[in-house]
Structures are given as C-alpha cells and as structure tokens.
Amino acid sequence: MRDALRVAGLPDHGTFPRAIVADAQKVLQVSFVSLDEVTTHTVRAYLSRRGWKSMPDGSDRDMHGCIVALRGTAFLFYSRKDSPDDQRFTAAHELAHFVLDHLVPRQKALRFFGDSIRPVLDLQELPTKEQLLTSALDGVPLKAQVHLMERDDLGDIHTGDVLRVEQRADRLAFEWLAPESVAMPVMKQGPREERAARLQRTFGLPRRKAEVYARVLAQREGAPRFSLSSVLGERNPG
C-alpha cells in the first residue's frame, strides 16, 4: 500500500470531501469520464470514437464504473445517475485499481527488466518466454486492463466482499478519501451511534461505505494490533 501511495503521488489535501478527480488529474495520465449510463455499450462507443481498440467484453450491463488502462494511461468512467458520494467513491476505487493493478506492476517490470520491457508493456513487441513467466509470477500486466464495477440487484457497489483486488482497491480509496489520521478524530467527536453519519458527512462517503469504515476504525481504536488490511482481507499489506 505504501508503494501505491508513493506511485500515485496525489497532492496533499486539507479539505473534505476530497476532490479526488481534480487531484488525480494533476499528477496522473488519467481521464475521468461521467456518462449518463455506464454500460459496456456506452464505454465501447466512447473508446471507439477515440481510436481505442481495447474494449470491455461481454454482454451489455449497467455499472457504477469502469476503467480501461494501457501504457500508463487510463480512462475511468463513472455514472452521473449515482449520488455525488457514490460517484466520488467509484472514482477513487477505480483510480485505486489503476494504481495498484497497472502502474505499480508496470514500474516493477521496468525496474526488473529495464527500458527493454517498455515496447512489450506498450503492446509494440511480443514478450519473450522469460517476460511471460515473470508476468505470470509477479502479476505484471502485458496487455490492456479492463475493470468493470458492476451493480448487483440492489444497485449496490460490489467491492470489498470477495476478491482480494477489490478489497485492496477499497482500502486505498478509503485512505485517499478519509485518511485514518483524520477520520479517527472525526469519528470520536460525538455519540457512538452517529459515527458513520459523521464520516459520511465529513468525507462524502456513501452511507454503506461509511458504516463499514466506522466499524473498521472502531475496532482499530480498541485493538492496537488490528489493521484495516485484516478487515478488507489483505494478507500482505505493502
């Protein structure tokens, strides 16, 4: 996680809710795109108009967000029909995927192989057997990456529940939107039953995410050895 924060290099911030989109676009090669509806069809159409050949696969379906990343850049989509708090969290979550699952492995590959790997990472050359093996073992992406933030039947954001990559993305999104060093004092400033509401109001978190984060911080407060990574399922935090 420390590597991800360093690689992202987002500017210091002192006001909340955080303008995560503006902060990210100052330092990273990312384009945030709000659409009336985020579906595989609307994302394909948007990318096609801009000459991108890497498109989300599968049948058309409604999503909270989507990311398509290649060559150290990314388009990050989010739905205008969601609430401002949901849009903010979707943007942070998808940005976390870009950093954790694209930029960090890309920098790792460049450090290991040197600049000779860049044409492979940029899809200009085919990888060697050694490069393919390293990619498989270390999770280095050698093709365009697509991540879809789908809705379930209730329209909820499906994150932090099953997949480790989703759990890590949530963890980084929380750290950007509501850093523990700031969120913990806010949570303590009033009745226990209003903790989630204070986090939601101060940091602009979706209600359900604020409730999760309040439980995480409450357990951490009472147990010094407790960690956010243990709640979100990350066994080996970076």
Side-chain angles (χ1 to χ4, degrees), residues 7 18 20 28 43 47 57 64 74 83 86 91 109 112 120 137 153 172 186 189 196 201 206 215 232:
V7 169
R18 183 174 191 175
I20 188 71
L28 296 172
V43 170
L47 294 174
D57 295 323
H64 284 284
S83 70
D86 278 320
F112 184 83
V120 176
L137 293 177
D153 292 339
L172 185 54
V186 168
Q189 294 172 357
R201 185 169 56 249
R215 291 196 298 271
L232 296 181

Side-chain angles (χ1 to χ4, degrees), residues 7-50:
V7 169
L10 298 191
D12 293 337
H13 57 285
T15 59
F16 300 96
R18 183 174 191 175
I20 188 71
V21 170
D23 284 350
Q25 291 183 147
K26 290 176 184 177
V27 294
L28 296 172
Q29 297 183 57
V30 293
S31 297
F32 288 87
V33 182
S34 63
L35 300 175
D36 290 333
E37 286 189 328
V38 180
T39 68
T40 48
H41 172 75
T42 59
V43 170
R44 284 194 198 103
Y46 183 93
L47 294 174
S48 180
R49 291 194 297 269
R50 285 151 182 80

Side-chain angles (χ1 to χ4, degrees), residues 61-213:
R61 51 197 183 274
D62 195 17
M63 297 177 285
H64 284 284
C66 174
I67 175 176
V68 180
L70 178 66
R71 300 173 185 167
T73 67
F75 284 103
L76 300 99
F77 300 88
Y78 59 94
S79 175
R80 277 197 289 263
K81 70 182 180 182
D82 285 341
S83 70
D85 288 350
D86 278 320
Q87 291 181 39
R88 183 181 299 105
F89 193 85
T90 297
H93 178 93
E94 296 299 343
L95 181 66
H97 275 297
F98 174 60
V99 173
L100 289 164
D101 304 325
H102 187 79
L103 285 188
V104 170
R106 181 180 174 88
Q107 289 200 3
K108 183 177 182 180
L110 287 168
R111 287 196 304 268
F112 184 83
F113 290 107
D115 210 53
S116 63
I117 194 66
R118 193 179 300 275
V120 176
L121 297 174
D122 292 348
L123 304 186
Q124 296 168 345
E125 293 181 3
L126 293 176
T128 65
K129 291 182 179 180
E130 179 188 7
Q131 290 165 345
L132 284 172
L133 179 61
T134 300
S135 172
L137 293 177
D138 295 338
V140 176
L142 296 182
K143 61 180 181 179
Q145 292 170 282
V146 176
H147 174 264
L148 309 178
M149 194 169 181
E150 299 184 50
R151 301 173 187 271
D152 63 15
D153 292 339
L154 298 177
D156 292 329
I157 296 175
H158 240 1
T159 60
D161 298 325
V162 181
L163 299 177
R164 182 173 180 269
V165 291
E166 299 299 326
Q167 296 162 342
R168 293 169 69 236
D170 266 7
R171 182 186 174 205
L172 185 54
F174 279 132
E175 186 57 31
W176 280 330
L177 296 178
E180 183 181 331
S181 60
V182 182
M184 186 72 83
V186 168
M187 193 184 70
K188 296 178 180 178
Q189 294 172 357
R192 178 178 293 271
E193 63 272 14
E194 297 177 6
R195 286 180 165 184
R198 287 196 298 277
L199 293 177
Q200 180 186 18
R201 185 169 56 249
T202 302
F203 300 105
L205 298 175
R207 177 67 185 189
R208 292 188 64 181
K209 290 298 178 184
E211 291 170 350
V212 170
Y213 199 35

